[in-house]
Amino acid sequence: MTTEGLSEQDLAVLAVERDGWPGPGAKERAIRERLGITPTRYYQLLNALLDDPRALEHDPVTINRLRRVRDERRERR
């Protein structure tokens, strides 16, 4: 697993996404507390990471899972 090219913030976003959350409120609170950013900014960063080959190389399980979710949502629209 390489972290080359990914910022500390990128790695922190991926770490938050790997954690399981009992509900959306807990996740949003953790985003603010751990990362010091708004949930909106978090999802902007996360979405950019989904298309970043470095993120895929670093955490293929999380990135592929999120890509599947994103693709399913797009198909429903």
Side-chain angles (χ1 to χ4, degrees):
M1 212 182 313
T2 181
T3 60
E4 187 173 321
L6 293 175
S7 70
E8 285 185 31
Q9 186 174 47
D10 293 338
L11 296 173
V13 166
L14 291 173
V16 166
E17 199 56 38
R18 275 192 305 272
D19 289 344
W21 300 101
K27 184 176 183 179
E28 273 67 23
R29 191 168 37 258
I31 290 167
R32 284 187 166 88
E33 290 172 2
R34 286 194 205 173
L35 304 177
I37 59 176
T38 65
T40 300
R41 182 65 183 141
Y42 169 83
Y43 288 109
Q44 290 170 339
L45 294 170
L46 180 61
N47 197 44
L49 285 169
L50 295 184
D51 297 319
D52 190 328
R54 298 168 302 176
L56 179 62
E57 185 177 342
H58 172 72
D59 192 347
V61 172
T62 300
I63 295 299
N64 284 324
R65 175 179 54 84
L66 293 171
R67 284 179 176 178
R68 279 191 304 275
V69 169
R70 179 180 67 178
D71 292 346
E72 289 170 4
R73 285 186 181 148
R74 284 181 178 168
E75 287 175 12
R76 281 185 271 164
R77 290 183 186 159

